[in-house]
Amino acid sequence: MSNFMDLDQNGKAQAFYIWIDGSGQNIRGKTKTLDHPVTSPDQLPEWNFDGSSTNQSTGENSDVYIKPVSIFKDPFRRGDNILVMCECYAPDGSPHPTNKRHDCNKIMEKHKDQKPWFGIEQEYTLFDDTGKHPLGWPKNGFPGPQGPYYCGVGANRVKGRKIVEAHYRACLYAGVKIAGSNAEVMPSQWEYQVGPCEGIEMGDHLWVSRYILARVAEEFDVVVSFDPKPIPGDWNGAGCHTNISTLAMRKEGGMEHIVNAIEKMGKKHDEHIAEYDPTNGADNARRLTGLHETASIHQFSYGVANRGASIRIPRQCEKDGYGYFEDRRPASNCDPYAVTSRIVKSICE
């Protein structure tokens, strides 16, 4: 395929439209030819797709419309070609029920004076091309116990680093605000961080980073799993730890605002859990057991430097008296629009 990617495009550009399907966690996408390069989503036409094939409509009324909302450079096609994050709309022009971004954007606009910042730690697990066997695990049996794999180095401790490095570079090229990456506690499990992002930007950047990851993994015939507990038993699950601050929290004396926000969130623990995975908490129930660096899904807790709590206040922030806090409850397959809007509703309203 690389033999064809340097062919001249005769002044035209390719736009890969991305949307979230009816599962609330899977990405779909297709390509449109543009007559000329664009620099803003406002310059792009709306489009549509067959919603009966994505669990978003019936065959009798199948059209679902997609509206471009943000654009990124395409690290696969390069040049003037772009990735386009889209919102889904019904034929009558109303936001589709699967469109979490629309309401999230309204909430972020309402509270933009508080300048909510987010940084999300996206964990994931790599599987072979069957999607059933973790990459590099023994064909019959299990690898050694957890311990040497977190931030590990060496072929006996990490699997899939070429994918991780390619993804990192592709995100930087695309304009995604990727901030770091590391190998995780379970072998073949990794994490990358996106942020800081303000308001609606967090969801856009995380979803596009997930697309880029899945697309990079295709090149290696590897499957990316965002399942919160991909391997049952004495293995860590996968989360999407969400770091939050408002302008008041980032200023001198911000610790008071941090604690107040956390206590507000604690009063709405069940509402948060319902928004923190696409199955109203069922996926997260397999992960939030009180073991493997998690708090129980049934209890809310917070503490300083406590990775067994629902919410962690970093030690440095306690020392400084201001900064941010980390909500450790969101699952790896969460919708960041749902997570960030739920948080802002709890702490800013």
Side-chain angles (χ1 to χ4, degrees):
M1 181 177 172
S2 60
N3 294 332
F4 300 93
M5 297 309 288
D6 61 351
L7 293 175
D8 187 81
Q9 296 181 208
N10 292 318
K12 298 185 184 295
Q14 292 172 286
F16 189 81
Y17 281 47
I18 298 167
W19 71 92
I20 305 153
D21 72 11
S23 70
Q25 56 185 311
N26 294 326
I27 295 168
R28 305 289 182 119
K30 60 178 183 173
T31 302
K32 175 180 279 293
T33 299
L34 307 177
D35 289 334
H36 52 78
V38 301
T39 57
S40 166
D42 297 334
Q43 298 172 285
L44 291 166
E46 293 186 13
W47 206 6
N48 61 74
F49 63 88
D50 171 17
S52 68
S53 297
T54 63
N55 198 30
Q56 287 170 290
S57 69
T58 62
E60 294 77 21
N61 188 21
S62 64
D63 285 359
V64 176
Y65 291 84
I66 40 179
K67 176 183 177 181
V69 290
S70 61
I71 60 174
F72 297 80
K73 294 166 64 179
D74 188 333
F76 307 105
R77 292 166 170 159
R78 307 184 188 182
D80 292 321
N81 305 304
I82 55 175
L83 305 177
V84 184
M85 191 66 209
C86 299
E87 287 188 20
C88 293
Y89 284 83
D92 64 3
S94 63
H96 193 274
T98 60
N99 180 355
K100 303 288 187 180
R101 189 186 188 279
H102 177 79
D103 285 343
C104 180
N105 195 37
K106 290 198 298 185
I107 290 165
M108 296 303 175
E109 284 295 311
K110 181 179 178 181
H111 300 289
K112 63 182 179 181
D113 60 313
Q114 299 190 47
K115 296 190 177 300
W117 286 6
F118 302 94
I120 289 184
E121 306 166 25
Q122 176 69 69
E123 295 178 336
Y124 61 94
T125 310
L126 297 176
F127 283 73
D128 65 16
D129 60 358
T130 68
K132 297 178 180 179
H133 191 84
L135 186 68
W137 282 36
K139 291 299 181 185
N140 297 299
F142 296 89
Q146 296 182 151
Y149 311 111
Y150 173 70
C151 295
V153 177
N156 61 332
R157 296 187 175 182
V158 296
K159 304 296 180 183
R161 193 183 294 278
K162 288 181 180 180
I163 294 171
V164 172
E165 293 298 326
H167 172 248
Y168 203 135
R169 192 63 62 88
C171 282
L172 289 173
Y173 177 90
V176 170
K177 292 185 175 180
I178 189 168
S181 71
N182 58 270
E184 264 302 334
V185 175
M186 187 178 80
S188 303
Q189 188 183 74
W190 292 83
E191 174 189 301
Y192 65 92
Q193 304 89 37
V194 175
C197 295
E198 186 168 330
I200 197 65
E201 182 182 57
M202 185 69 256
D204 291 349
H205 282 243
L206 193 70
W207 274 115
V208 171
S209 76
R210 287 175 176 175
Y211 163 73
I212 293 173
L213 177 59
R215 181 64 179 77
V216 166
E218 283 182 20
E219 301 290 326
F220 295 86
D221 291 325
V222 167
V223 175
V224 178
S225 171
F226 294 109
D227 189 282
K229 188 70 173 178
I231 306 296
D234 194 20
W235 302 99
N236 274 34
C240 216
H241 302 158
T242 302
N243 300 277
I244 313 108
S245 69
T246 60
L247 182 61
M249 295 176 197
R250 297 190 292 271
K251 290 182 176 180
E252 199 76 29
M255 186 56 65
E256 178 183 355
H257 297 280
I258 290 173
V259 172
N260 287 342
I262 292 172
E263 291 181 347
K264 287 180 180 178
M265 291 172 68
K267 294 175 182 177
K268 296 186 178 294
H269 176 65
D270 291 343
E271 290 94 325
H272 281 258
I273 290 297
E275 296 287 358
Y276 281 5
D277 71 36
T279 58
N280 295 313
D283 283 344
N284 237 346
R286 295 183 284 118
R287 166 181 163 259
L288 298 180
T289 61
L291 302 173
H292 305 110
E293 299 182 76
T294 71
S296 169
I297 196 171
H298 304 295
Q299 294 180 308
F300 178 82
S301 60
Y302 70 94
V304 175
N306 185 355
R307 283 179 163 77
S310 307
I311 289 179
R312 178 182 69 93
I313 300 172
R315 180 71 68 190
Q316 189 63 46
C317 294
E318 181 199 41
K319 181 179 178 180
D320 294 339
Y322 61 89
Y324 66 96
F325 63 93
E326 174 196 43
D327 191 342
R328 297 178 60 80
R329 296 170 295 174
S332 50
N333 62 348
C334 71
D335 185 336
Y337 299 130
V339 170
T340 57
S341 60
R342 178 64 263 180
I343 291 170
V344 170
K345 280 193 288 186
S346 291
I347 71 176
C348 295
E349 292 187 348

